[in-house]
Amino acid sequence: MKATARAHTNIALIKYWGKRNESLILPTNSNLSVTLDGFSTETTVHFQEDLKKDIFLLNEQNVEGNALEKVAVFLDKVRALSGKELYAQIQSVNHVPTAAGFASSASGLAALAAASAKAIGISLDDTELSKLARQGSGSACRSIYGGFVEWQMGEREDGADSFAVQVAGKSHWDIRIAAVVLSKTTKKVSSREGMRRTVETSPFYAGWLEQTPKDLQEIKQAIAEKDFEKMGSIAEANCLRMHATTLGANPPFTYWQDTTMRVMQTVQNLREKGIPVFFTIDAGPNVKVLYLSEDEDKVKKRLQSIEGVEDIIVSKPGSGISYL
Ligand code: DP6
């Protein structure tokens, strides 16, 4: 009744931004990410007869409140699947090099899904596991796989056709993704709340829905052809369109800070100097920068010199779920 799994987080190149079903976590658009080898979560789930409730330890600290609730609600789904009414002790360790705003629900819920299913004795293939992880956090369904991963939105009301598939393995393309950690990050609107508010109130959301399927088609072709300029420019434009929708929401909001903008401008300046480098940003102020390995020194040095940047953590495409 005990199992341990490791999952890596991922960064979306075509964003998931909006739900058509909140409880099953079904998206309004298909999307695509690359799994990162630099950030992972290791989770052990131990179901025990004598527990009266779930117990959650994150980085060896006991967790209560909303974070425990999220884990318990997810485990209810696993209990329902297995038909076993057992509570668990969950021990998670986030391998995130710095504290600043990089705790990821994608690696966390993917590792929790894999470890809990195995511990309670239900055997799921990767597709079923992806569907289960999706119900914990949408982006987690992509972290079941390594490399380049598409979350196919599906059409069905019950979510049976909404899961991730691998588009290319991690050794397909040796690109670099630098996570630029900012020294000061203010409290953000959660991605859950941010996407809800945008779907409900932003008149720009219709434009997002119209353009994103085209971006996805083109980026898949760019990945297949290893066309870095094409891949990077589509990812950057898609990110900017996602963030544009938040400015049209009511009340309006943005995830960007002054340093976020400085990093974006630096990336664009490097590009003007002929270095192929692109950015993408999730629901927070930190920026991820995409480039090729031969440009590592130049890109890192330039990013490190930006005022307000604390650290640069470089990843390559990483692997999917593993059991320890
Ligand atoms: C901006 O997967 O964290 O990072 O499904 O509500 O848990 P929930 O949201 P989450 O949202 C991620 C949004 C994003 C884009 C992306 O990763 O595709």
mmCIF file of all heavy atoms in Angstrom, residues 151-199:
data_model
loop_
_atom_site.group_PDB
_atom_site.id
_atom_site.type_symbol
_atom_site.label_atom_id
_atom_site.label_comp_id
_atom_site.label_asym_id
_atom_site.label_seq_id
_atom_site.Cartn_x
_atom_site.Cartn_y
_atom_site.Cartn_z
ATOM 1 N N TRP A 151 -1.426 18.180 -24.862
ATOM 2 C CA TRP A 151 -2.668 17.826 -24.156
ATOM 3 C C TRP A 151 -3.807 18.032 -25.143
ATOM 4 O O TRP A 151 -4.114 19.158 -25.516
ATOM 5 C CB TRP A 151 -2.846 18.693 -22.916
ATOM 6 C CG TRP A 151 -4.140 18.520 -22.168
ATOM 7 C CD1 TRP A 151 -5.122 17.592 -22.370
ATOM 8 C CD2 TRP A 151 -4.599 19.333 -21.075
ATOM 9 N NE1 TRP A 151 -6.148 17.770 -21.480
ATOM 10 C CE2 TRP A 151 -5.856 18.831 -20.673
ATOM 11 C CE3 TRP A 151 -4.059 20.441 -20.402
ATOM 12 C CZ2 TRP A 151 -6.583 19.403 -19.624
ATOM 13 C CZ3 TRP A 151 -4.793 21.007 -19.364
ATOM 14 C CH2 TRP A 151 -6.035 20.487 -18.979
ATOM 15 N N GLN A 152 -4.367 16.920 -25.591
ATOM 16 C CA GLN A 152 -5.483 16.977 -26.535
ATOM 17 C C GLN A 152 -6.766 17.239 -25.755
ATOM 18 O O GLN A 152 -7.129 16.446 -24.886
ATOM 19 C CB GLN A 152 -5.548 15.672 -27.314
ATOM 20 C CG GLN A 152 -4.243 15.444 -28.086
ATOM 21 C CD GLN A 152 -4.202 14.153 -28.878
ATOM 22 O OE1 GLN A 152 -4.932 13.209 -28.588
ATOM 23 N NE2 GLN A 152 -3.327 14.104 -29.860
ATOM 24 N N MET A 153 -7.410 18.344 -26.057
ATOM 25 C CA MET A 153 -8.534 18.798 -25.229
ATOM 26 C C MET A 153 -9.703 17.811 -25.182
ATOM 27 O O MET A 153 -10.371 17.710 -24.164
ATOM 28 C CB MET A 153 -9.046 20.156 -25.702
ATOM 29 C CG MET A 153 -9.636 20.159 -27.096
ATOM 30 S SD MET A 153 -10.244 21.795 -27.606
ATOM 31 C CE MET A 153 -11.746 21.950 -26.644
ATOM 32 N N GLY A 154 -9.922 17.089 -26.287
ATOM 33 C CA GLY A 154 -11.055 16.185 -26.343
ATOM 34 C C GLY A 154 -12.368 16.928 -26.524
ATOM 35 O O GLY A 154 -12.408 18.165 -26.470
ATOM 36 N N GLU A 155 -13.422 16.153 -26.756
ATOM 37 C CA GLU A 155 -14.738 16.757 -26.996
ATOM 38 C C GLU A 155 -15.780 16.273 -26.019
ATOM 39 O O GLU A 155 -16.809 16.895 -25.813
ATOM 40 C CB GLU A 155 -15.209 16.399 -28.413
ATOM 41 C CG GLU A 155 -14.434 17.112 -29.482
ATOM 42 C CD GLU A 155 -14.785 16.621 -30.881
ATOM 43 O OE1 GLU A 155 -15.556 15.633 -31.008
ATOM 44 O OE2 GLU A 155 -14.268 17.216 -31.841
ATOM 45 N N ARG A 156 -15.519 15.113 -25.427
ATOM 46 C CA ARG A 156 -16.562 14.479 -24.616
ATOM 47 C C ARG A 156 -16.796 15.216 -23.299
ATOM 48 O O ARG A 156 -15.891 15.797 -22.730
ATOM 49 C CB ARG A 156 -16.186 13.024 -24.343
ATOM 50 C CG ARG A 156 -16.266 12.165 -25.590
ATOM 51 C CD ARG A 156 -15.791 10.774 -25.314
ATOM 52 N NE ARG A 156 -16.443 10.183 -24.149
ATOM 53 C CZ ARG A 156 -16.728 8.894 -24.028
ATOM 54 N NH1 ARG A 156 -16.431 8.066 -25.005
ATOM 55 N NH2 ARG A 156 -17.298 8.443 -22.942
ATOM 56 N N GLU A 157 -18.044 15.133 -22.856
ATOM 57 C CA GLU A 157 -18.439 15.773 -21.601
ATOM 58 C C GLU A 157 -17.780 15.109 -20.394
ATOM 59 O O GLU A 157 -17.526 15.751 -19.380
ATOM 60 C CB GLU A 157 -19.968 15.670 -21.411
ATOM 61 C CG GLU A 157 -20.771 16.469 -22.411
ATOM 62 C CD GLU A 157 -20.679 17.963 -22.145
ATOM 63 O OE1 GLU A 157 -20.870 18.343 -20.983
ATOM 64 O OE2 GLU A 157 -20.387 18.716 -23.098
ATOM 65 N N ASP A 158 -17.517 13.791 -20.502
ATOM 66 C CA ASP A 158 -16.979 13.065 -19.343
ATOM 67 C C ASP A 158 -15.451 13.083 -19.286
ATOM 68 O O ASP A 158 -14.861 12.509 -18.379
ATOM 69 C CB ASP A 158 -17.489 11.614 -19.329
ATOM 70 C CG ASP A 158 -16.964 10.801 -20.517
ATOM 71 O OD1 ASP A 158 -16.230 11.358 -21.376
ATOM 72 O OD2 ASP A 158 -17.289 9.602 -20.592
ATOM 73 N N GLY A 159 -14.798 13.720 -20.264
ATOM 74 C CA GLY A 159 -13.342 13.866 -20.221
ATOM 75 C C GLY A 159 -12.568 12.642 -20.677
ATOM 76 O O GLY A 159 -11.339 12.629 -20.617
ATOM 77 N N ALA A 160 -13.259 11.615 -21.154
ATOM 78 C CA ALA A 160 -12.574 10.372 -21.517
ATOM 79 C C ALA A 160 -11.566 10.547 -22.663
ATOM 80 O O ALA A 160 -10.648 9.745 -22.807
ATOM 81 C CB ALA A 160 -13.602 9.297 -21.886
ATOM 82 N N ASP A 161 -11.735 11.606 -23.469
ATOM 83 C CA ASP A 161 -10.785 11.830 -24.568
ATOM 84 C C ASP A 161 -9.922 13.071 -24.342
ATOM 85 O O ASP A 161 -9.396 13.649 -25.289
ATOM 86 C CB ASP A 161 -11.534 11.922 -25.909
ATOM 87 C CG ASP A 161 -12.612 13.002 -25.896
ATOM 88 O OD1 ASP A 161 -12.835 13.617 -24.830
ATOM 89 O OD2 ASP A 161 -13.219 13.245 -26.955
ATOM 90 N N SER A 162 -9.775 13.476 -23.089
ATOM 91 C CA SER A 162 -8.944 14.641 -22.770
ATOM 92 C C SER A 162 -7.722 14.196 -21.979
ATOM 93 O O SER A 162 -7.795 13.965 -20.773
ATOM 94 C CB SER A 162 -9.758 15.662 -21.959
ATOM 95 O OG SER A 162 -9.014 16.840 -21.760
ATOM 96 N N PHE A 163 -6.597 14.023 -22.685
ATOM 97 C CA PHE A 163 -5.373 13.520 -22.054
ATOM 98 C C PHE A 163 -4.170 13.941 -22.903
ATOM 99 O O PHE A 163 -4.327 14.433 -24.023
ATOM 100 C CB PHE A 163 -5.420 11.993 -21.907
ATOM 101 C CG PHE A 163 -5.765 11.257 -23.169
ATOM 102 C CD1 PHE A 163 -4.799 11.006 -24.137
ATOM 103 C CD2 PHE A 163 -7.081 10.842 -23.419
ATOM 104 C CE1 PHE A 163 -5.128 10.338 -25.316
ATOM 105 C CE2 PHE A 163 -7.412 10.188 -24.596
ATOM 106 C CZ PHE A 163 -6.434 9.925 -25.555
ATOM 107 N N ALA A 164 -2.971 13.719 -22.340
ATOM 108 C CA ALA A 164 -1.756 14.130 -23.038
ATOM 109 C C ALA A 164 -1.166 12.989 -23.861
ATOM 110 O O ALA A 164 -1.381 11.810 -23.545
ATOM 111 C CB ALA A 164 -0.729 14.626 -22.028
ATOM 112 N N VAL A 165 -0.443 13.360 -24.910
ATOM 113 C CA VAL A 165 0.309 12.393 -25.722
ATOM 114 C C VAL A 165 1.698 12.977 -25.994
ATOM 115 O O VAL A 165 1.863 14.194 -26.071
ATOM 116 C CB VAL A 165 -0.377 12.086 -27.082
ATOM 117 C CG1 VAL A 165 -1.730 11.431 -26.893
ATOM 118 C CG2 VAL A 165 -0.522 13.339 -27.927
ATOM 119 N N GLN A 166 2.669 12.115 -26.144
ATOM 120 C CA GLN A 166 4.014 12.609 -26.446
ATOM 121 C C GLN A 166 4.122 12.929 -27.938
ATOM 122 O O GLN A 166 3.740 12.117 -28.785
ATOM 123 C CB GLN A 166 5.063 11.567 -26.059
ATOM 124 C CG GLN A 166 6.479 12.123 -26.128
ATOM 125 C CD GLN A 166 7.518 11.097 -25.743
ATOM 126 O OE1 GLN A 166 7.622 10.040 -26.362
ATOM 127 N NE2 GLN A 166 8.289 11.410 -24.711
ATOM 128 N N VAL A 167 4.647 14.112 -28.239
ATOM 129 C CA VAL A 167 4.822 14.539 -29.626
ATOM 130 C C VAL A 167 6.236 14.189 -30.098
ATOM 131 O O VAL A 167 6.452 13.798 -31.237
ATOM 132 C CB VAL A 167 4.566 16.067 -29.719
ATOM 133 C CG1 VAL A 167 5.029 16.630 -31.039
ATOM 134 C CG2 VAL A 167 3.095 16.370 -29.489
ATOM 135 N N ALA A 168 7.220 14.338 -29.196
ATOM 136 C CA ALA A 168 8.615 13.965 -29.494
ATOM 137 C C ALA A 168 9.324 13.696 -28.170
ATOM 138 O O ALA A 168 9.070 14.383 -27.176
ATOM 139 C CB ALA A 168 9.322 15.086 -30.243
ATOM 140 N N GLY A 169 10.211 12.707 -28.160
ATOM 141 C CA GLY A 169 10.918 12.329 -26.933
ATOM 142 C C GLY A 169 11.948 13.371 -26.524
ATOM 143 O O GLY A 169 12.263 14.285 -27.293
ATOM 144 N N LYS A 170 12.501 13.208 -25.321
ATOM 145 C CA LYS A 170 13.404 14.251 -24.817
ATOM 146 C C LYS A 170 14.709 14.338 -25.610
ATOM 147 O O LYS A 170 15.346 15.377 -25.649
ATOM 148 C CB LYS A 170 13.693 14.041 -23.328
ATOM 149 C CG LYS A 170 14.449 12.790 -22.996
ATOM 150 C CD LYS A 170 14.821 12.778 -21.523
ATOM 151 C CE LYS A 170 15.662 11.548 -21.241
ATOM 152 N NZ LYS A 170 16.215 11.528 -19.900
ATOM 153 N N SER A 171 15.108 13.238 -26.269
ATOM 154 C CA SER A 171 16.360 13.310 -27.035
ATOM 155 C C SER A 171 16.148 13.769 -28.484
ATOM 156 O O SER A 171 17.102 13.897 -29.250
ATOM 157 C CB SER A 171 17.079 11.959 -26.992
ATOM 158 O OG SER A 171 16.180 10.951 -27.324
ATOM 159 N N HIS A 172 14.909 14.063 -28.835
ATOM 160 C CA HIS A 172 14.609 14.552 -30.190
ATOM 161 C C HIS A 172 15.358 15.854 -30.493
ATOM 162 O O HIS A 172 15.847 16.053 -31.611
ATOM 163 C CB HIS A 172 13.096 14.765 -30.315
ATOM 164 C CG HIS A 172 12.661 15.498 -31.557
ATOM 165 N ND1 HIS A 172 12.760 14.950 -32.812
ATOM 166 C CD2 HIS A 172 12.147 16.752 -31.730
ATOM 167 C CE1 HIS A 172 12.302 15.824 -33.701
ATOM 168 N NE2 HIS A 172 11.938 16.924 -33.068
ATOM 169 N N TRP A 173 15.457 16.731 -29.470
ATOM 170 C CA TRP A 173 15.959 18.077 -29.734
ATOM 171 C C TRP A 173 16.602 18.625 -28.479
ATOM 172 O O TRP A 173 15.941 18.772 -27.455
ATOM 173 C CB TRP A 173 14.763 18.959 -30.133
ATOM 174 C CG TRP A 173 15.106 20.165 -30.928
ATOM 175 C CD1 TRP A 173 16.325 20.548 -31.397
ATOM 176 C CD2 TRP A 173 14.174 21.167 -31.365
ATOM 177 N NE1 TRP A 173 16.215 21.707 -32.105
ATOM 178 C CE2 TRP A 173 14.909 22.110 -32.102
ATOM 179 C CE3 TRP A 173 12.799 21.345 -31.219
ATOM 180 C CZ2 TRP A 173 14.309 23.229 -32.682
ATOM 181 C CZ3 TRP A 173 12.210 22.448 -31.782
ATOM 182 C CH2 TRP A 173 12.952 23.383 -32.523
ATOM 183 N N ASP A 174 17.900 18.924 -28.581
ATOM 184 C CA ASP A 174 18.667 19.322 -27.403
ATOM 185 C C ASP A 174 18.600 20.836 -27.175
ATOM 186 O O ASP A 174 19.606 21.533 -27.226
ATOM 187 C CB ASP A 174 20.119 18.859 -27.592
ATOM 188 C CG ASP A 174 20.940 19.039 -26.337
ATOM 189 O OD1 ASP A 174 20.356 18.995 -25.238
ATOM 190 O OD2 ASP A 174 22.169 19.249 -26.460
ATOM 191 N N ILE A 175 17.402 21.342 -26.908
ATOM 192 C CA ILE A 175 17.272 22.785 -26.659
ATOM 193 C C ILE A 175 17.511 23.083 -25.178
ATOM 194 O O ILE A 175 17.569 22.174 -24.357
ATOM 195 C CB ILE A 175 15.877 23.321 -27.075
ATOM 196 C CG1 ILE A 175 14.765 22.649 -26.252
ATOM 197 C CG2 ILE A 175 15.640 23.123 -28.557
ATOM 198 C CD1 ILE A 175 13.430 23.368 -26.322
ATOM 199 N N ARG A 176 17.650 24.364 -24.848
ATOM 200 C CA ARG A 176 17.809 24.781 -23.450
ATOM 201 C C ARG A 176 16.649 25.684 -23.046
ATOM 202 O O ARG A 176 16.174 26.493 -23.865
ATOM 203 C CB ARG A 176 19.109 25.559 -23.271
ATOM 204 C CG ARG A 176 20.353 24.731 -23.487
ATOM 205 C CD ARG A 176 20.533 23.689 -22.386
ATOM 206 N NE ARG A 176 21.737 22.912 -22.610
ATOM 207 C CZ ARG A 176 21.814 21.852 -23.422
ATOM 208 N NH1 ARG A 176 20.740 21.441 -24.071
ATOM 209 N NH2 ARG A 176 22.946 21.211 -23.582
ATOM 210 N N ILE A 177 16.243 25.531 -21.797
ATOM 211 C CA ILE A 177 15.188 26.378 -21.247
ATOM 212 C C ILE A 177 15.726 26.937 -19.933
ATOM 213 O O ILE A 177 15.939 26.191 -18.974
ATOM 214 C CB ILE A 177 13.889 25.594 -20.983
ATOM 215 C CG1 ILE A 177 13.467 24.805 -22.235
ATOM 216 C CG2 ILE A 177 12.759 26.524 -20.539
ATOM 217 C CD1 ILE A 177 13.836 23.357 -22.239
ATOM 218 N N ALA A 178 15.962 28.250 -19.896
ATOM 219 C CA ALA A 178 16.470 28.862 -18.659
ATOM 220 C C ALA A 178 15.305 29.471 -17.895
ATOM 221 O O ALA A 178 14.541 30.279 -18.440
ATOM 222 C CB ALA A 178 17.496 29.936 -18.995
ATOM 223 N N ALA A 179 15.159 29.064 -16.639
ATOM 224 C CA ALA A 179 14.166 29.693 -15.767
ATOM 225 C C ALA A 179 14.848 30.896 -15.123
ATOM 226 O O ALA A 179 15.870 30.752 -14.457
ATOM 227 C CB ALA A 179 13.702 28.704 -14.711
ATOM 228 N N VAL A 180 14.293 32.067 -15.360
ATOM 229 C CA VAL A 180 14.868 33.293 -14.816
ATOM 230 C C VAL A 180 14.112 33.617 -13.526
ATOM 231 O O VAL A 180 12.915 33.904 -13.552
ATOM 232 C CB VAL A 180 14.736 34.457 -15.827
ATOM 233 C CG1 VAL A 180 15.369 35.725 -15.267
ATOM 234 C CG2 VAL A 180 15.373 34.077 -17.157
ATOM 235 N N VAL A 181 14.822 33.509 -12.411
ATOM 236 C CA VAL A 181 14.180 33.698 -11.103
ATOM 237 C C VAL A 181 14.344 35.162 -10.688
ATOM 238 O O VAL A 181 15.453 35.682 -10.667
ATOM 239 C CB VAL A 181 14.840 32.792 -10.044
ATOM 240 C CG1 VAL A 181 14.132 32.928 -8.697
ATOM 241 C CG2 VAL A 181 14.834 31.349 -10.511
ATOM 242 N N LEU A 182 13.233 35.800 -10.379
ATOM 243 C CA LEU A 182 13.284 37.209 -9.982
ATOM 244 C C LEU A 182 13.477 37.317 -8.473
ATOM 245 O O LEU A 182 12.990 36.477 -7.716
ATOM 246 C CB LEU A 182 11.988 37.923 -10.383
ATOM 247 C CG LEU A 182 11.504 37.717 -11.826
ATOM 248 C CD1 LEU A 182 10.393 38.703 -12.146
ATOM 249 C CD2 LEU A 182 12.628 37.849 -12.841
ATOM 250 N N SER A 183 14.167 38.364 -8.050
ATOM 251 C CA SER A 183 14.444 38.478 -6.610
ATOM 252 C C SER A 183 13.209 38.882 -5.817
ATOM 253 O O SER A 183 13.060 38.509 -4.660
ATOM 254 C CB SER A 183 15.611 39.420 -6.343
ATOM 255 O OG SER A 183 15.524 40.547 -7.146
ATOM 256 N N LYS A 184 12.320 39.662 -6.419
ATOM 257 C CA LYS A 184 11.100 40.028 -5.694
ATOM 258 C C LYS A 184 9.881 39.598 -6.497
ATOM 259 O O LYS A 184 9.735 39.965 -7.656
ATOM 260 C CB LYS A 184 11.037 41.551 -5.491
ATOM 261 C CG LYS A 184 11.678 41.976 -4.189
ATOM 262 C CD LYS A 184 11.370 43.429 -3.896
ATOM 263 C CE LYS A 184 12.558 44.265 -4.205
ATOM 264 N NZ LYS A 184 12.603 45.385 -4.955
ATOM 265 N N THR A 185 9.010 38.797 -5.879
ATOM 266 C CA THR A 185 7.768 38.445 -6.567
ATOM 267 C C THR A 185 6.606 38.744 -5.626
ATOM 268 O O THR A 185 6.588 38.278 -4.496
ATOM 269 C CB THR A 185 7.743 36.959 -6.959
ATOM 270 O OG1 THR A 185 8.004 36.181 -5.798
ATOM 271 C CG2 THR A 185 8.763 36.621 -8.023
ATOM 272 N N THR A 186 5.661 39.524 -6.120
ATOM 273 C CA THR A 186 4.490 39.833 -5.284
ATOM 274 C C THR A 186 3.474 38.713 -5.417
ATOM 275 O O THR A 186 3.553 37.900 -6.334
ATOM 276 C CB THR A 186 3.824 41.153 -5.714
ATOM 277 O OG1 THR A 186 3.629 41.087 -7.122
ATOM 278 C CG2 THR A 186 4.681 42.346 -5.362
ATOM 279 N N LYS A 187 2.504 38.687 -4.524
ATOM 280 C CA LYS A 187 1.490 37.639 -4.532
ATOM 281 C C LYS A 187 0.686 37.717 -5.820
ATOM 282 O O LYS A 187 0.231 38.775 -6.230
ATOM 283 C CB LYS A 187 0.565 37.844 -3.328
ATOM 284 C CG LYS A 187 -0.231 36.615 -2.971
ATOM 285 C CD LYS A 187 -0.974 36.850 -1.671
ATOM 286 C CE LYS A 187 -2.248 36.041 -1.564
ATOM 287 N NZ LYS A 187 -2.297 34.765 -2.229
ATOM 288 N N LYS A 188 0.534 36.586 -6.480
ATOM 289 C CA LYS A 188 -0.114 36.594 -7.783
ATOM 290 C C LYS A 188 -1.559 36.102 -7.699
ATOM 291 O O LYS A 188 -1.971 35.537 -6.698
ATOM 292 C CB LYS A 188 0.676 35.702 -8.736
ATOM 293 C CG LYS A 188 0.784 34.282 -8.236
ATOM 294 C CD LYS A 188 1.356 33.355 -9.283
ATOM 295 C CE LYS A 188 1.223 31.923 -8.816
ATOM 296 N NZ LYS A 188 1.481 30.934 -9.822
ATOM 297 N N VAL A 189 -2.296 36.342 -8.756
ATOM 298 C CA VAL A 189 -3.597 35.719 -8.933
ATOM 299 C C VAL A 189 -3.288 34.275 -9.344
ATOM 300 O O VAL A 189 -2.509 34.061 -10.269
ATOM 301 C CB VAL A 189 -4.382 36.415 -10.074
ATOM 302 C CG1 VAL A 189 -5.759 35.817 -10.254
ATOM 303 C CG2 VAL A 189 -4.458 37.924 -9.844
ATOM 304 N N SER A 190 -3.846 33.280 -8.682
ATOM 305 C CA SER A 190 -3.541 31.889 -9.038
ATOM 306 C C SER A 190 -3.943 31.629 -10.483
ATOM 307 O O SER A 190 -4.798 32.328 -11.035
ATOM 308 C CB SER A 190 -4.301 30.927 -8.117
ATOM 309 O OG SER A 190 -5.675 30.937 -8.449
ATOM 310 N N SER A 191 -3.330 30.617 -11.103
ATOM 311 C CA SER A 191 -3.689 30.336 -12.492
ATOM 312 C C SER A 191 -5.164 29.925 -12.573
ATOM 313 O O SER A 191 -5.859 30.271 -13.518
ATOM 314 C CB SER A 191 -2.783 29.261 -13.090
ATOM 315 O OG SER A 191 -2.690 28.152 -12.252
ATOM 316 N N ARG A 192 -5.623 29.215 -11.536
ATOM 317 C CA ARG A 192 -7.022 28.769 -11.529
ATOM 318 C C ARG A 192 -7.976 29.962 -11.560
ATOM 319 O O ARG A 192 -8.882 30.035 -12.376
ATOM 320 C CB ARG A 192 -7.266 27.914 -10.272
ATOM 321 C CG ARG A 192 -8.380 26.936 -10.436
ATOM 322 C CD ARG A 192 -8.275 25.774 -9.477
ATOM 323 N NE ARG A 192 -7.453 24.694 -9.997
ATOM 324 C CZ ARG A 192 -7.480 23.450 -9.501
ATOM 325 N NH1 ARG A 192 -8.271 23.160 -8.491
ATOM 326 N NH2 ARG A 192 -6.721 22.522 -10.025
ATOM 327 N N GLU A 193 -7.733 30.920 -10.652
ATOM 328 C CA GLU A 193 -8.583 32.114 -10.577
ATOM 329 C C GLU A 193 -8.387 32.994 -11.822
ATOM 330 O O GLU A 193 -9.347 33.519 -12.380
ATOM 331 C CB GLU A 193 -8.254 32.871 -9.273
ATOM 332 C CG GLU A 193 -8.683 34.330 -9.202
ATOM 333 C CD GLU A 193 -10.175 34.544 -9.364
ATOM 334 O OE1 GLU A 193 -10.957 33.578 -9.218
ATOM 335 O OE2 GLU A 193 -10.559 35.695 -9.677
ATOM 336 N N GLY A 194 -7.132 33.106 -12.262
ATOM 337 C CA GLY A 194 -6.829 33.970 -13.409
ATOM 338 C C GLY A 194 -7.531 33.493 -14.670
ATOM 339 O O GLY A 194 -8.122 34.278 -15.408
ATOM 340 N N MET A 195 -7.478 32.181 -14.912
ATOM 341 C CA MET A 195 -8.115 31.706 -16.153
ATOM 342 C C MET A 195 -9.633 31.784 -16.054
ATOM 343 O O MET A 195 -10.305 32.101 -17.025
ATOM 344 C CB MET A 195 -7.585 30.329 -16.592
ATOM 345 C CG MET A 195 -7.879 29.151 -15.768
ATOM 346 S SD MET A 195 -7.260 27.606 -16.558
ATOM 347 C CE MET A 195 -5.561 27.554 -16.033
ATOM 348 N N ARG A 196 -10.154 31.556 -14.843
ATOM 349 C CA ARG A 196 -11.616 31.645 -14.681
ATOM 350 C C ARG A 196 -12.098 33.062 -14.979
ATOM 351 O O ARG A 196 -13.040 33.271 -15.747
ATOM 352 C CB ARG A 196 -11.996 31.232 -13.251
ATOM 353 C CG ARG A 196 -13.494 31.265 -12.994
ATOM 354 C CD ARG A 196 -13.833 30.996 -11.538
ATOM 355 N NE ARG A 196 -13.399 29.673 -11.104
ATOM 356 C CZ ARG A 196 -12.797 29.420 -9.932
ATOM 357 N NH1 ARG A 196 -12.559 30.403 -9.087
ATOM 358 N NH2 ARG A 196 -12.445 28.197 -9.613
ATOM 359 N N ARG A 197 -11.416 34.031 -14.367
ATOM 360 C CA ARG A 197 -11.829 35.429 -14.553
ATOM 361 C C ARG A 197 -11.715 35.843 -16.029
ATOM 362 O O ARG A 197 -12.561 36.547 -16.568
ATOM 363 C CB ARG A 197 -10.949 36.348 -13.694
ATOM 364 C CG ARG A 197 -11.540 37.741 -13.574
ATOM 365 C CD ARG A 197 -10.569 38.711 -12.920
ATOM 366 N NE ARG A 197 -10.147 38.313 -11.587
ATOM 367 C CZ ARG A 197 -9.210 38.954 -10.891
ATOM 368 N NH1 ARG A 197 -8.602 40.005 -11.396
ATOM 369 N NH2 ARG A 197 -8.865 38.539 -9.688
ATOM 370 N N THR A 198 -10.681 35.351 -16.690
ATOM 371 C CA THR A 198 -10.475 35.702 -18.097
ATOM 372 C C THR A 198 -11.572 35.108 -18.981
ATOM 373 O O THR A 198 -12.142 35.796 -19.830
ATOM 374 C CB THR A 198 -9.087 35.206 -18.552
ATOM 375 O OG1 THR A 198 -8.108 35.772 -17.698
ATOM 376 C CG2 THR A 198 -8.802 35.605 -19.977
ATOM 377 N N VAL A 199 -11.863 33.824 -18.765
ATOM 378 C CA VAL A 199 -12.904 33.168 -19.573
ATOM 379 C C VAL A 199 -14.241 33.891 -19.377
ATOM 380 O O VAL A 199 -14.973 34.143 -20.335
ATOM 381 C CB VAL A 199 -13.054 31.679 -19.169
ATOM 382 C CG1 VAL A 199 -14.270 31.052 -19.837
ATOM 383 C CG2 VAL A 199 -11.798 30.896 -19.518
#
